[in-house]
């Protein structure tokens, strides 16, 4: 490995399973976990709470610099706190999901949060012996020197089905359609500032379309183990 502590960077589109798989992989490896997407959601939630106009790019960027954010990095319970308040559920509401792309595509915001992500990756890796960091731009912009870089993807159909089960408890046609906007539109919006649909050079593609959860976790573990053996 190129670094003293294991750093695994995982990118992927909405519904690819990257959050649940990344947490399971971190638990399996016995290292910390960082959900960078939750950081954009936390900032979005805070802006809404503070009355910051999400269309005011400079104001949102200033909010990113001021954000009193604490990221839990235990994969078993990765709590997100702002001003000491736990907001795990708040940042997953439709209210936040519908507008988070306004924050995530703000090119004044991204460098602020990306630097914070780099700092957290280094901190968590030192404290726990390693880290699995997941989100967008992790393999290419935030942690291009990570020991293991993976693009976790799945077909649109599989991603819609998974997100529907997560949000609605089932994947009936009407639930899938209700989920489509959150998944497809957000990916389309985010792709204007981040490339998470194709694996960059040196990034391993893991397609989970036809894999169940445990198989997806094992596929990522296998990539990590191969990298360790080659090192």
């Amino acid at each position: 490995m190129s670094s003293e502590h294991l750093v695994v960077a995982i990118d992927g589109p909405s519904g690819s399973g990257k959050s649940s798989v990344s947490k399971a992989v971190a638990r399996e490896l016995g290292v910390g976990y960082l959900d960078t997407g939750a950081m954009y959601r936390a900032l979005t939630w805070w802006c809404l709470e503070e009355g910051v106009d999400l269309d005011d790019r400079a104001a949102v960027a200033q909010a990113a610099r001021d954000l009193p954010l604490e990221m839990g990095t235990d994969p078993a319970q990765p709590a997100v706190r702002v001003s000491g308040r736990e907001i795990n559920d708040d940042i997953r509401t439709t209210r936040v999901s519908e507008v988070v792309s306004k924050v995530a595509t703000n090119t004044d915001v991204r460098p602020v949060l990306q630097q914070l992500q780099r700092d957290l990756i280094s901190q968590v890796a030192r404290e726990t012996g390693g880290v699995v960091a997941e989100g967008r731009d992790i393999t290419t912009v935030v942690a291009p020197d990570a020991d293991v870089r993976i693009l976790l993807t799945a077909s649109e159909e599989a991603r819609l089905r998974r997100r529907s089960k997560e949000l609605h408890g089932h994947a009936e046609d009407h639930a899938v359609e209700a989920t489509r906007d959150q998944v497809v539109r957000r990916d389309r919006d985010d792709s204007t500032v981040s490339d998470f649909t194709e694996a960059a050079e040196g990034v391993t593609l893991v397609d989970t379309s036809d894999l169940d959860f445990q198989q997806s976790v094992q596929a990522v573990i296998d990539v990590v183990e191969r990298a360790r053996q080659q090192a």
Side-chain angles (χ1 to χ4, degrees):
M1 293 296 174
S2 59
S3 58
E4 182 180 354
H5 306 297
L6 174 67
V7 176
V8 179
I10 299 179
D11 284 333
S14 301
S16 60
K18 64 182 181 295
S19 292
S20 53
V21 168
S22 295
K23 281 185 278 192
V25 169
R27 288 196 298 269
E28 184 85 12
L29 297 174
V31 300
Y33 162 75
L34 181 63
D35 178 357
T36 65
M39 298 169 71
Y40 289 98
R41 286 179 171 272
L43 175 58
T44 302
W45 175 84
W46 198 53
C47 286
L48 293 173
E49 290 292 300
E50 296 293 310
V52 177
D53 181 358
L54 297 184
D55 292 318
D56 186 336
R57 299 170 65 85
V60 178
Q62 186 59 51
R65 289 187 282 271
D66 296 337
L67 180 64
L69 177 66
E70 180 185 348
M71 294 296 297
T73 55
D74 178 354
Q77 195 173 13
V80 180
R81 294 183 177 86
V82 169
S83 295
R85 171 180 169 178
E86 188 171 308
I87 58 170
N88 291 35
D89 294 334
D90 301 89
I91 64 174
R92 304 294 173 185
T93 60
T94 300
R95 174 192 183 215
V96 170
S97 295
E98 286 180 342
V99 295
V100 65
S101 283
K102 285 190 175 184
V103 172
T105 58
N106 184 329
T107 52
D108 295 329
V109 165
R110 294 189 73 81
V112 177
L113 291 190
Q114 286 165 350
Q115 186 55 54
L116 179 56
Q117 290 157 13
R118 292 185 193 100
D119 295 342
L120 284 170
I121 286 171
S122 297
Q123 177 187 332
V124 176
R126 286 195 307 271
E127 292 175 351
T128 69
V131 62
V132 177
E134 56 97 349
R136 311 276 175 98
D137 278 346
I138 310 305
T139 64
T140 54
V141 178
V142 176
D145 297 324
D147 301 297
V148 182
R149 296 185 296 151
I150 293 171
L151 176 62
L152 196 70
T153 190
S155 67
E156 182 176 297
E157 178 187 1
R159 294 188 291 113
L160 285 169
R161 189 170 61 248
R162 289 170 185 167
R163 186 53 59 87
S164 178
K165 287 181 179 178
E166 177 186 320
L167 295 176
H168 306 290
H170 60 85
E172 300 296 331
D173 289 347
H174 65 280
V176 169
E177 285 308 309
T179 307
R180 183 177 297 277
D181 179 65
Q182 282 191 28
V183 173
V184 177
R185 179 188 53 78
R186 186 176 174 207
D187 283 347
R188 183 184 65 243
D189 291 348
D190 288 1
S191 66
T192 63
V193 295
S194 173
D195 186 3
F196 50 86
T197 58
E198 295 184 9
E201 184 177 353
V203 176
T204 301
L205 180 68
V206 175
D207 190 326
T208 66
S209 299
D210 299 319
L211 304 180
D212 63 22
F213 177 69
Q214 289 303 328
Q215 290 171 331
S216 299
V217 172
Q218 189 58 53
V220 172
I221 294 289
D222 289 345
V223 174
V224 174
E225 290 306 318
R226 283 198 300 273
R228 279 175 158 168
Q229 290 169 8
Q230 290 171 0

